[in-house]
Amino acid sequence: MAYQRVEVLRGTERRRNYTPAEKVRMVEGAFRPGVVVTDVARRLSAHESLLYRW
């Protein structure tokens, strides 16, 4: 059985804030040779444009 991470956002802010360390880890994982950025972004629950922007 596969589990997915679920995040509950409370309050008026609907965006998730990533720490600089999280951003680095995500970008490094997404831009390895042979990796599809879209698949990594979907798995991380982030939009692929964020990975390109960071």
Side-chain angles (χ1 to χ4, degrees):
M1 180 184 283
Y3 293 95
Q4 288 186 330
R5 185 172 117 186
V6 175
E7 227 175 299
V8 177
L9 301 176
R10 298 173 187 234
T12 57
E13 185 64 36
R14 297 187 67 172
R15 295 181 184 180
R16 176 142 194 294
N17 293 320
Y18 296 98
T19 66
E22 286 177 310
K23 291 178 182 180
V24 168
R25 181 181 50 81
M26 293 167 75
V27 170
E28 285 176 345
F31 292 100
R32 285 190 214 142
V35 174
V36 179
V37 176
T38 305
D39 294 341
V40 173
R42 191 175 298 131
R43 188 174 61 245
L44 296 170
S45 299
H47 197 276
E48 74 177 284
S49 66
L50 283 177
L51 298 174
Y52 286 110
R53 188 177 312 152
W54 295 336

